Amino acid sequence: MILNNLKLGVEVVGAHNLLPKDGQGSSSSFVELYFDGQRFRTTIKEKDLSPVWNETFYFNVSNPSNLHMLALDAYVYNNIRATQSRSFLGKITINGTSFVPYSDAVVLHYPLEKRSIFSRVRGELGLKVYVIDDPSIKSSTPISTADDSQVHSHSAQTPAPKIPRSEVRHTFHHLPNPNHPQQQQQQQEAPAVPVPHQGARYVPDAMKVPEPQPRPQLVRMHSATMAQPVDYALKETSPFLGGGRVVGGRVIRTDRMSGCTYDLVEKMHFLFVRVVKARELPAMDITGSVDPYVEVRIGNYKGITKHIEKNQNPMWNVVFAFSRERMQASVLEVVVKDKDLVKDDFVGLCRFDLNEVPMRVPPDSPLAPEWYRLADKKGEKIKGELMLAVWIGTQADEAYPDAWHSDAALSVDTAASTLIRSKVYHAPRLWYVRVNVVEAQDLVPTEKTRFPDAYVKAQIGNQVLKTKPVQARTFNPLWNEDLLFVAAEPFEDNLVLTVEDRVAPGKDEIIGRVIIPLSMVEKRADDRMIHSRWFNLEKPVAVDIDQLKKEKFSSRLHLRVCLDGGYHVLDESTHYSSDLRPTAKQLWRPPIGVLELGVLNAVGLHPMKTRDGKGTSDTYCVAKYGHKWIRTRTIVDNLCPKYNEQYTWEVFDPATVLTVGVFDNSQLGEKGPNGTKDLKVGKVRIRISTLETGRVYTHSYPLLVLHPTGVKKMGELHLAIRFTCTSFANMLYKYSRPLLPKMHYVRPFTVMQLDMLRHQAVNIVAMRLGRAEPPLRKEVVEYMSDVDSHLWSMRRSKANFFRLMSIFTGLFAAGRWFGDICMWKNPITTVLVHILFLMLVSFPELILPTVFLYMFLIGVWNYRYRPRYPPHMNTKLSQAESVHPDELDEEFDTFPTSRSPELVRMRYDRLRSVAGRIQTVVGDIATQGERLQSLLSWRDPRATALFVTFCLIVALALYVTPFQVIAALIGIYMMRHPRFRHRLPSVPVSFFRRLPARTDSML
């Protein structure tokens, strides 16, 4: 958005259920708005507790760069005419981070807040807030201080224009590590350098030779009963990142010259060659022209530009990058050739000694290209010049993302080079489309002698839903059904509703059709009522015009249609969600931190294809978090690829999961066993809440995949991860908020609706990302989103059952211990238990304080044994080691099954569907128990710290408070009046649902 003439538009729609203040059960209310030193006021609505204003005001924004730091305050007052004064009815405050462009603005009803602890307020205020830069809009006239004695309107009547939505560019900024003294010195001495909004982020090169890497250390994830083979275990490493070694989660700098903030990848040298253009090339053809192209050669590596037909002054502007560690020559040759049908002709060349090539380290400016005179094979100068720039740089170079890479594109032609480059993708913003089909009026069936058996079919793209048929003895059928769809911005499909008549079994006739563009559908961010509309049905075929003139009435359809932006559109498994924000940007909160991922390398990959008689792989990595997907470059013909690419995400909720997958590129010529589908090698999941802030996690993750023959290790993926918190208070506040947006609890969906909507959302995301260049293919999106996690599997059911049983092992152990006490197996322990029991019976007020104090001591004791590494896949927990071959055949069977006759197939599919739901229920029960265990296990260090502190405070409070008082308060709270109950989950429930479970370790 252009920041000139920027204004903040505020549309005061109305209020609801205000508090009466005039002593007669009503109020005469008005609204005052405050923003950036300006103040506006609406008209007064006399004697109305639910007033409607629909007045629009425009504020000037003095400094657009500080817009996110400002806030809009809205105060609702009651006008007291007798005394020319006013009384307070409530207020709201909207932070600048919630302001959105006009195209994204929706009406949102904010609950009124108290001005002080003694204020008494109720009700809601409906506002539509947006920023706009239309120069034709004039700002409203603000209210001066002298106008306070008179309450009148200063509403600007300028209508809100319909402007096209501008492209919103997401910026992901890197947060420097404050523990690095080199970064602190650089921040003091040098001005800030803007960071690009997308792309890989890297560490500049260091000239020292790194010392040998230490042997990776195995780390244990679970108890001894859940131990798995050493080959499947997580390994902690200590690599050189950013000129320093990672020791204990911190980067210990060994290279003082390396002061860059890109410190989560290893250093890599590249020889960059930029071929810009040529001039005055000699004619090589009979026609007196030349078809030139450039071949860049160093040792066994070469890169070729496209040839340009009949041009003696061609322009290419192509960059080649050669990995320095794989070079086997000291001379670079840049050869210009003439494209020919039989054999290409030599035109001229330029030679460069690599020892004389300059080194460039950002933020130095790019190296300026120069004109070089062409020479023949003997070294003598000939006609023609070539503009080149040759330098040695690192991954931090601006030319790196779009360069042709020798380590990635060996044996790959120029046409396929676009399929192997690293890219950043942004998934589309998804909306739920709610269509409430109310009724139809004056339907005209084909047969005039019968009443229609009518139903409505709604369609958006490939999504089709139908209402139930209504067999009523009338031409005005009533349905009142909700149909739900998923749509993505920009909206490309229309909503098509067709009224059909079922004239016979299997035979339907169309009565009429309505087409509604989604761009014209109203958006909402809460559960306010949407106004219904009547739509005239259009005839599907041409009819007689004279007959239409005779007809007095036309058929109509009564609808309520809206885009629900108050929900989070689930497009991935709920257990591994990477984003929980609602669709409406007005409901977004500021980020709580920054997540940085360094994809270092992979080792020991399993060959996925055969090339030149040997097994090989062309692998790339995909990482998904929130709306941002990243894809590293493809390393061709390498079973131990080195990526060394770094990416950054903003974190809005700690209860989210980062997913990193490795795939084999099947688009480079050879077809794999599954055709042209990219093959999955394995993936890793990392929950943000299990990471300590500021620590660098460097681990080698085993890539475990379940095959029809059993679990198989496909290699290891080496990652570096750091989560940096920008607002610790906001992060702790998140633990008290509901996991999903408010609308999921106010108007929840059924389980069947969620499954259907999630399936449609994944298809839409896969379709949009598949249209990018290079495309992110559908099989990749489905694997990263766990589309098959809800299907029946005997292995998963057994794993969830044993998870549930392990939760009760502590209860069983306590029962056995109590049995031993009763049997006097240890007399001393039994006597002490009797004394404790008699003491608690004599002083019952000590029971609860003792329990909470005991949990506090357990939590403090477990702090020294807290996990210091992220979770990873566990084969024993997943029951992947002892699974029966027949169960694996069932798990990898198609759905519906193809291994039985028709009758058995129907029963088998029904059994799998029911068993899948039972499996989910058992897994959810196990998840709740595991969350109880994580209260004191420090799996989530911030949650455990909060709970342990709460236990200490409660223990101290209960020691000084009589037990009878506590029991009375608890009883009164449990039996409280419905007026004091809320539909949103309470703070303890929200805190509990955010705790991590062992679902992250499930295969």
Side-chain angles (χ1 to χ4, degrees):
M1 177 177 291
I2 302 174
L3 298 181
N4 295 330
N5 301 314
L6 193 66
K7 296 177 180 63
L8 177 70
V10 181
E11 181 180 342
V12 183
V13 180
H16 173 67
N17 195 25
L18 296 179
L19 193 69
K21 284 282 190 175
D22 60 359
Q24 301 177 4
S26 184
S27 292
S28 300
S29 54
F30 64 94
V31 181
E32 279 195 2
L33 305 173
Y34 299 84
F35 177 77
D36 199 8
Q38 305 163 67
R39 180 172 57 157
F40 299 118
R41 184 182 297 153
T42 67
T43 55
I44 300 173
K45 298 299 180 179
E46 300 286 346
K47 306 293 184 180
D48 193 353
L49 294 181
S50 297
V52 177
W53 288 282
N54 286 327
E55 299 179 12
T56 305
F57 304 87
Y58 292 98
F59 295 86
N60 283 323
V61 180
S62 57
N63 189 356
S65 61
N66 294 333
L67 182 61
H68 65 284
M69 301 174 60
L70 302 176
L72 171 68
D73 294 313
Y75 289 83
V76 184
Y77 293 105
N78 169 51
N79 181 46
I80 305 175
R81 181 177 300 178
T83 60
Q84 291 296 322
S85 61
R86 58 190 182 183
S87 57
F88 179 76
L89 293 178
K91 71 165 188 174
I92 61 171
T93 301
I94 305 176
N95 295 324
T97 54
S98 301
F99 298 159
V100 296
Y102 176 77
S103 57
D104 289 331
V106 296
V107 177
L108 190 61
H109 291 263
Y110 300 89
L112 293 176
E113 302 173 357
K114 297 180 179 181
R115 181 166 52 183
S116 65
I117 193 173
F118 302 104
S119 300
R120 184 165 171 258
V121 301
R122 77 178 188 192
E124 300 174 335
L125 179 63
L127 297 178
K128 184 176 182 180
V129 184
Y130 50 89
V131 289
I132 191 169
D133 63 344
D134 192 343
S136 63
I137 296 178
K138 303 300 181 183
S139 299
S140 308
T141 305
I143 300 174
S144 62
T145 307
D147 295 334
D148 286 341
S149 61
Q150 297 179 357
V151 183
H152 57 278
S153 171
H154 287 264
S155 174
Q157 302 301 327
T158 307
K162 296 181 179 180
I163 58 175
R165 179 183 178 188
S166 59
E167 182 181 358
V168 181
R169 301 185 66 183
H170 297 262
T171 304
F172 300 89
H173 295 286
H174 178 93
L175 186 68
N177 192 336
N179 296 323
H180 290 177
Q182 192 71 21
Q183 295 181 12
Q184 295 175 355
Q185 179 181 359
Q186 194 177 44
Q187 289 176 358
Q188 297 174 359
E189 297 177 359
V193 179
V195 181
H197 75 285
Q198 66 180 17
R201 323 188 70 181
Y202 310 97
V203 177
D205 203 357
M207 301 305 296
K208 296 182 180 180
V209 179
E211 58 188 67
Q213 299 258 355
R215 185 176 180 179
Q217 299 179 357
L218 296 179
V219 295
R220 298 296 179 186
M221 284 294 303
H222 307 286
S223 60
T225 58
M226 289 298 174
Q228 55 183 352
V230 175
D231 197 33
Y232 294 167
L234 191 69
K235 299 181 179 66
E236 186 172 10
T237 62
S238 183
F240 278 94
L241 302 180
R245 180 180 293 283
V246 178
V247 178
R250 303 293 178 185
V251 179
I252 308 302
R253 291 217 173 268
T254 58
D255 184 4
R256 296 183 178 179
M257 297 302 293
S258 180
C260 186
T261 57
Y262 309 141
D263 54 355
L264 289 187
V265 289
E266 296 177 347
K267 300 165 294 196
M268 296 181 67
H269 285 103
F270 289 92
L271 172 66
F272 290 95
V273 181
R274 180 184 294 275
V275 181
V276 184
K277 57 184 177 181
R279 65 184 180 187
E280 299 179 1
L281 295 179
M284 305 297 295
D285 298 337
I286 302 177
T287 59
S289 184
V290 61
D291 303 328
Y293 69 91
V294 177
E295 182 180 281
V296 182
R297 298 184 304 202
I298 179 168
N300 295 328
Y301 298 100
K302 67 178 180 179
I304 302 175
T305 68
K306 295 181 179 180
H307 77 278
I308 300 178
E309 296 183 358
K310 300 185 182 345
N311 195 330
Q312 293 180 281
N313 299 288
M315 177 175 291
W316 295 281
N317 199 19
V318 179
V319 180
F320 298 90
F322 299 89
S323 177
R324 191 175 182 183
E325 65 178 13
R326 300 177 66 176
M327 293 181 186
Q328 299 178 354
S330 60
V331 177
L332 169 69
E333 292 185 348
V334 182
V335 185
V336 181
K337 292 187 176 182
D338 175 42
K339 188 70 175 178
D340 207 343
L341 295 177
V342 181
K343 183 179 180 181
D344 297 342
D345 299 326
F346 173 84
V347 178
L349 62 79
C350 298
R351 288 191 176 95
F352 298 88
D353 188 352
L354 296 185
N355 296 323
E356 303 297 330
V357 175
M359 173 78 70
R360 175 182 178 262
V361 178
D364 292 347
S365 299
L367 191 66
E370 301 180 23
W371 286 105
Y372 292 90
R373 188 77 174 272
L374 295 179
D376 57 15
K377 296 181 179 180
K378 298 180 180 180
E380 298 181 0
K381 300 298 181 182
I382 60 174
K383 181 183 178 182
E385 291 180 306
L386 187 63
M387 179 177 281
L388 299 172
V390 183
W391 72 95
I392 293 177
T394 64
Q395 307 103 309
D397 202 290
E398 294 87 349
Y400 179 83
D402 296 325
W404 182 96
H405 295 275
S406 62
D407 60 343
L410 182 63
S411 71
V412 177
D413 57 10
T414 306
S417 61
T418 57
L419 301 175
I420 62 177
R421 291 176 177 171
S422 59
K423 291 295 178 182
V424 175
Y425 307 83
H426 285 285
R429 190 153 64 119
L430 302 177
W431 293 78
Y432 283 140
V433 183
R434 187 185 296 271
V435 182
N436 179 242
V437 183
V438 183
E439 59 181 334
Q441 189 178 71
D442 298 331
L443 294 183
V444 182
T446 305
E447 301 178 10
K448 306 294 184 179
T449 60
R450 55 179 291 274
F451 292 104
D453 185 7
Y455 66 92
V456 178
K457 181 175 72 173
Q459 181 174 1
I460 298 179
N462 297 326
Q463 307 173 64
V464 180
L465 294 176
K466 299 179 181 179
T467 65
K468 295 179 180 178
V470 175
Q471 298 177 346
R473 302 187 63 81
T474 177
F475 294 102
N476 304 320
L478 176 66
W479 294 281
N480 197 21
E481 287 189 34
D482 270 353
L483 305 178
L484 292 169
F485 300 89
V486 179
E489 289 185 342
F491 302 117
E492 299 177 347
D493 299 315
N494 296 327
L495 170 62
V496 181
L497 296 109
T498 308
V499 181
E500 299 187 4
D501 180 19
R502 183 160 295 172
V503 296
K507 182 181 180 181
D508 300 329
E509 292 183 356
I510 299 177
I511 298 177
R513 179 184 291 115
V514 176
I515 300 177
I516 305 174
L518 290 180
S519 58
M520 305 299 294
V521 175
E522 183 179 357
K523 300 177 181 178
R524 71 173 183 178
D526 50 17
D527 60 338
R528 63 185 176 88
M529 181 61 69
I530 296 295
H531 298 292
S532 60
R533 291 181 55 190
W534 286 95
F535 294 87
N536 293 327
L537 292 177
E538 299 177 358
K539 295 293 182 180
V541 295
V543 295
D544 188 3
I545 298 179
D546 296 333
Q547 182 67 24
L548 287 177
K549 292 180 180 179
K550 295 179 182 179
E551 295 178 357
K552 186 176 182 180
F553 300 101
S554 62
S555 301
R556 298 193 302 171
L557 189 62
H558 194 192
L559 302 173
R560 291 188 184 93
V561 185
C562 70
L563 293 168
D564 265 330
Y567 293 93
H568 167 67
V569 180
L570 295 169
D571 60 341
E572 53 195 343
S573 174
T574 54
H575 295 298
Y576 316 121
S577 293
S578 61
D579 188 17
L580 301 172
R581 292 174 295 169
T583 301
K585 291 184 178 180
Q586 288 172 305
L587 301 177
W588 291 6
R589 299 295 182 183
I592 62 171
V594 175
L595 176 65
E596 297 164 280
L597 170 68
V599 184
L600 302 180
N601 56 64
V603 295
L605 294 180
H606 185 77
M608 305 299 292
K609 63 184 67 170
T610 302
R611 182 182 291 135
D612 298 332
K614 65 175 183 178
T616 185
S617 290
D618 308 323
T619 57
Y620 63 92
C621 296
V622 174
K624 176 189 184 300
Y625 187 77
H627 289 182
K628 181 180 177 183
W629 295 61
I630 66 97
R631 169 179 178 158
T632 67
R633 68 190 191 281
T634 301
I635 307 297
V636 179
D637 197 13
N638 198 330
L639 297 179
C640 296
K642 291 185 178 181
Y643 304 99
N644 284 310
E645 300 185 12
Q646 184 170 339
Y647 300 88
T648 305
W649 288 267
E650 288 179 320
V651 177
F652 293 87
D653 197 310
T656 47
V657 176
L658 167 71
T659 304
V660 184
V662 183
F663 300 89
D664 179 76
N665 197 330
S666 300
Q667 316 303 315
L668 304 181
E670 307 89 347
K671 290 187 178 181
N674 293 337
T676 58
K677 290 186 176 181
D678 289 353
L679 305 178
K680 57 185 180 182
V681 180
K683 65 182 172 185
V684 175
R685 303 189 197 101
I686 300 167
R687 187 171 293 273
I688 307 304
S689 62
T690 61
L691 304 177
E692 298 179 9
T693 57
R695 181 182 176 186
V696 179
Y697 292 85
T698 54
H699 293 88
S700 183
Y701 296 82
L703 298 173
L704 304 177
V705 177
L706 198 64
H707 289 279
T709 57
V711 66
K712 189 173 184 179
K713 180 180 178 181
M714 306 297 291
E716 294 183 1
L717 180 63
H718 195 189
L719 302 176
I721 302 167
R722 179 169 60 208
F723 170 54
T724 307
C725 177
T726 56
S727 177
F728 191 73
N730 287 341
M731 181 169 59
L732 296 184
Y733 175 72
K734 274 291 182 181
Y735 283 92
S736 66
R737 302 302 302 160
L739 189 65
L740 293 172
K742 176 181 177 181
M743 286 292 291
H744 285 271
Y745 307 100
V746 176
R747 300 191 65 178
F749 296 135
T750 64
V751 176
M752 298 297 294
Q753 285 177 326
L754 285 176
D755 287 342
M756 183 269 294
L757 292 173
R758 182 192 165 209
H759 175 71
Q760 299 295 345
V762 172
N763 288 338
I764 291 175
V765 172
M767 181 186 65
R768 290 291 180 90
L769 296 182
R771 288 158 51 178
E773 185 64 35
L776 210 56
R777 300 179 62 83
K778 183 177 181 180
E779 59 269 18
V780 175
V781 176
E782 291 181 347
Y783 182 60
M784 297 289 289
S785 302
D786 289 292
V787 293
D788 298 330
S789 60
H790 64 286
L791 294 181
W792 160 259
S793 165
M794 182 66 74
R795 176 189 61 84
R796 287 198 190 100
S797 298
K798 290 197 299 183
N800 288 332
F801 174 77
F802 286 114
R803 285 172 57 204
L804 184 61
M805 293 301 297
S806 65
I807 297 301
F808 295 101
T809 54
L811 183 62
F812 298 151
R816 289 192 299 267
W817 174 82
F818 186 72
D820 294 341
I821 294 297
C822 296
M823 297 300 294
W824 287 78
K825 288 189 176 182
N826 191 333
I828 298 178
T829 304
T830 303
V831 170
L832 292 177
V833 171
H834 277 74
I835 294 174
L836 178 63
F837 174 73
L838 293 175
M839 182 180 66
L840 295 178
V841 169
S842 303
F843 304 97
E845 63 271 11
L846 298 180
I847 295 178
L848 287 179
T850 303
V851 171
F852 279 99
L853 183 61
Y854 185 59
M855 288 192 293
F856 169 76
L857 295 176
I858 292 177
V860 173
W861 177 261
N862 288 343
Y863 178 76
R864 59 185 297 188
Y865 305 109
R866 67 191 186 280
R868 303 304 302 271
Y869 31 80
H872 71 291
M873 308 295 183
N874 187 280
T875 56
K876 191 164 187 178
L877 177 69
S878 306
Q879 295 292 312
E881 298 177 351
S882 58
V883 62
H884 193 273
D886 182 65
E887 296 174 0
L888 282 176
D889 180 73
E890 180 187 34
E891 184 170 350
F892 284 91
D893 187 14
T894 58
F895 189 84
T897 181
S898 58
R899 287 165 170 77
S900 57
E902 196 67 29
L903 180 62
V904 178
R905 175 182 303 163
M906 183 271 295
R907 295 174 179 176
Y908 181 53
D909 292 342
R910 182 176 58 189
L911 174 64
R912 294 176 71 185
S913 177
V914 174
R917 298 181 185 179
I918 298 175
Q919 161 191 308
T920 304
V921 172
V922 174
D924 290 341
I925 296 175
T927 298
Q928 308 311 318
E930 289 169 352
R931 285 171 176 168
L932 280 175
Q933 289 182 336
S934 64
L935 280 172
L936 300 174
S937 66
W938 296 94
R939 175 71 277 175
D940 184 344
R942 289 162 291 275
T944 304
L946 286 173
F947 183 74
V948 169
T949 305
F950 171 77
C951 291
L952 177 61
I953 295 174
V954 171
L956 296 177
L958 292 177
Y959 270 118
V960 298
T961 306
F963 177 77
Q964 293 82 354
V965 176
I966 300 298
L969 291 176
I970 294 176
I972 293 174
Y973 177 78
M974 296 298 294
M975 296 182 290
R976 66 192 185 276
H977 192 272
R979 179 180 179 182
F980 301 101
R981 298 178 185 269
H982 301 283
R983 289 180 290 182
L984 294 179
S986 61
V987 171
V989 173
S990 299
F991 177 85
F992 183 76
R993 288 178 178 174
R994 290 182 174 277
L995 294 173
R998 299 173 77 175
T999 53
D1000 303 329
S1001 301
M1002 290 286 293
L1003 278 173

